[in-house]
Amino acid sequence: MILRSIALLLLFSTGLIAQVPTPAPTQSAPILILGATAHLGTGTVIENSAIGFENGKLTLVADAATVRYDPKYYGKIFDASGKHIYPGFIATNSQLGLVEIGAVRATVDNSEVGVYNPNARAIIAYNTDSDVTPTVRSNGVLMAQITPGGGSISGSSSVVQLDAWNWEDATLRADDGIHMSWPRRRNNSRFRNRGGNTPGGGDPYQDALDELNTFFTEAQAYCKSEKNEVKNLRFEAMRNLFNQSANLYIRVNDARGMQEAVLFAEKHGVKPVLVGCNDAWLIVDFLTEHKTPVVLNITQRLPERTDSDIDQPFKTAGMLNEYGVLFCIAGEGAWQQRNLAFQAGQATGYGLDYESAVAALTLNPAKILGIDSQCGSLESGKDATLFICEGDALDMRTNRVTAAFIQGREIDLDNKQKALSRRYEKKY
């Protein structure tokens, strides 16, 4: 009996260490932040700023030296002199809340069985109690696109804010687009000379492309018809693609595949957004001409091509920005999103100016995801989703987030990793 009691106490104490911070209460009084360098996300910087917000919305974004305010009006005033303010970073193409521990199958819920699953909704699998989410909030990531994977057509993503009791409360925009993987060519001559490995001996790439064309053609015909006696759930899920209220996110990395993917989307009358895009630097003229947004792969990686410059992944963002391509910088997976800011910081030393790097994590992804009227920049009327940082948020050496707000709510920046750090600091 004593041993059982001790075991229960140990289990309870372990649970306390790993506990996810409780969602913050609704903003109850106006808040004012003074003296910080504000990076608005629009390319504008205010060196000595006054940022005020009430009822979850920004009401004041100005130079503190030129604005008058009544200190008694605000319930709390932050002195942020010497610090920086940024809009909340947005993690695009993430699996936050879908994957807890990649090596433990029971904690992975990011894909469905089958090849064509446009009706699979990632948002209903989103876990607001994930231990991973607080760790990425600590580095300024306050919103995320929750994205499915697997199959040829994976399903729909949704955009969430990272402080909520459940997925319904978290949702900023439900079903913002359908995600698809572009077929890959096989460069091995064995497949070219022997007719591939499909049952009919044809080209696997062309066969996959033909299947996609057939699926989209049938779905478009279904969505145009007003007399569908039997509902097709997969085709129903694609209605917003064909009326262009949702994006078609296409995962593709090679230059030729990117071009073919854009032309495919245009052929079927849908709005493409390219995801990954390792070779985007090779076709900037094409992307500019077709006004195609890009969700760029991580910068901290090796180049895709053996004959590329070793620092090409660092330079690609700057090249896209120079040509006026609408792009954002994405992270990978779930826990890796905590390093999202440093992916953008890597590009600042290779042709991407600092404020454009900030925009690549804030306003640009908001535009791509269709939530820029609500968030993505520090502008009056938008959500008060922002954070205060002691140093440069894009530099891992000085990044230290001291306060963060989601829709005006001051969130708890503690997390499991910080709790474990405090615990083991006392051991010796």
Side-chain angles (χ1 to χ4, degrees):
M1 190 69 179
I2 294 175
L3 290 175
R4 184 180 299 176
S5 299
I6 293 172
L8 287 172
L9 286 172
L10 288 173
L11 182 63
F12 180 71
S13 63
T14 303
L16 287 178
I17 291 173
Q19 192 171 21
V20 176
T22 302
T26 303
Q27 183 182 1
S28 58
I31 293 175
L32 180 65
I33 305 171
L34 290 174
T37 298
H39 306 267
L40 305 189
T42 59
T44 302
V45 179
I46 302 176
E47 296 292 343
N48 177 28
S49 65
I51 308 294
F53 46 97
E54 185 177 1
N55 298 323
K57 297 290 183 180
L58 289 163
T59 55
L60 176 66
V61 179
D63 188 329
T66 62
V67 68
R68 290 186 178 182
Y69 60 91
D70 181 5
K72 296 181 181 179
Y73 178 76
Y74 293 95
K76 190 172 185 179
I77 297 179
F78 286 80
D79 180 5
S81 301
K83 299 181 181 181
H84 298 260
I85 295 179
Y86 300 84
F89 294 155
I90 303 172
T92 48
N93 194 40
S94 84
Q95 295 187 339
L96 277 169
L98 302 181
V99 176
E100 196 73 6
I101 304 172
V104 180
R105 181 64 186 89
T107 70
V108 178
D109 192 9
N110 63 343
S111 63
E112 293 293 337
V113 176
V115 180
Y116 297 105
N117 298 301
N119 54 309
R121 305 178 67 218
I123 188 63
I124 62 172
Y126 176 62
N127 175 24
T128 54
D129 292 327
S130 170
D131 280 326
V132 176
T133 301
T135 68
V136 305
R137 298 193 318 190
S138 297
N139 275 359
V141 178
L142 305 182
M143 294 166 282
Q145 181 191 35
I146 307 306
T147 306
S152 181
I153 299 179
S154 307
S156 66
S157 60
S158 293
V159 187
V160 299
Q161 49 85 7
L162 302 183
D163 183 61
W165 288 101
N166 50 56
W167 66 263
E168 293 94 340
D169 293 342
T171 303
L172 287 177
R173 185 184 178 193
D175 305 317
D176 68 289
I178 300 290
H179 290 255
M180 181 179 88
S181 293
W182 192 250
R184 295 183 64 182
R185 282 187 173 80
R186 294 183 182 270
N187 293 322
N188 193 320
S189 60
R190 175 169 64 89
F191 291 96
R192 293 198 302 269
N193 297 335
R194 299 182 185 178
N197 61 349
T198 57
D203 176 10
Y205 174 80
Q206 190 58 50
D207 290 346
L209 192 54
D210 290 343
E211 286 184 11
L212 278 174
N213 271 303
T214 299
F215 186 85
F216 270 76
T217 300
E218 291 178 353
Q220 192 168 17
Y222 174 92
C223 292
K224 284 181 178 179
S225 174
E226 297 179 358
K227 298 180 180 180
N228 296 313
E229 296 181 0
V230 179
K231 277 196 173 184
N232 185 315
L233 295 181
R234 295 190 301 173
F235 292 165
E236 286 286 346
M238 297 182 70
R239 285 190 181 276
N240 289 340
L241 281 185
F242 297 118
N243 63 28
Q244 296 200 347
S245 61
N247 296 325
L248 176 63
Y249 296 94
I250 308 174
R251 295 184 287 263
V252 57
N253 282 311
D254 64 289
R256 183 175 176 183
M258 292 168 65
Q259 291 173 311
E260 292 181 348
V262 170
L263 297 177
F264 170 90
E266 291 179 351
K267 170 186 173 182
H268 291 286
V270 300
K271 293 193 304 182
V273 176
L274 300 182
V275 180
C277 308
N278 292 345
D279 281 352
W281 60 282
L282 292 171
I283 57 167
V284 285
D285 289 331
F286 176 88
L287 295 172
T288 303
E289 178 186 350
H290 289 264
K291 299 179 180 179
T292 305
V294 168
V295 176
L296 194 61
N297 200 357
I298 59 173
T299 59
Q300 296 175 343
R301 60 179 175 83
L302 292 173
E304 189 80 2
R305 297 171 178 269
T306 56
D307 58 348
S308 297
D309 294 343
I310 191 66
D311 57 359
Q312 183 56 57
F314 308 161
K315 299 188 293 186
T316 299
M319 296 172 68
L320 294 178
N321 189 59
E322 181 182 351
Y323 277 79
V325 177
L326 176 60
F327 78 98
C328 66
I329 295 176
E332 289 183 324
W335 66 265
Q336 299 93 330
Q337 300 296 338
R338 64 175 297 162
N339 296 322
L340 177 62
F342 313 139
Q343 303 294 340
Q346 186 76 52
T348 59
Y350 293 83
L352 184 65
D353 68 272
Y354 188 86
E355 296 308 321
S356 293
V358 172
L361 302 177
T362 55
L363 187 56
N364 287 5
K367 288 179 179 178
I368 292 172
L369 300 174
I371 56 172
D372 54 303
S373 63
Q374 182 178 354
C375 54
S377 60
L378 301 180
E379 299 178 83
S380 293
K382 289 191 175 184
D383 285 354
T385 300
L386 51 98
F387 65 93
I388 304 172
C389 187
E390 278 193 358
D392 181 353
L394 307 189
D395 182 358
M396 65 181 297
R397 296 168 300 180
T398 60
N399 176 306
R400 185 170 181 271
V401 176
T402 58
F405 306 85
I406 294 180
Q407 295 174 332
R409 306 185 303 275
E410 185 175 3
I411 64 171
D412 187 345
L413 289 173
D414 202 12
N415 60 56
K416 184 176 182 178
Q417 293 170 351
K418 290 180 179 180
L420 289 172
S421 176
R422 292 192 297 269
R423 178 185 181 187
Y424 286 104
E425 281 174 354
K426 298 176 182 178
K427 183 175 181 181
Y428 300 103

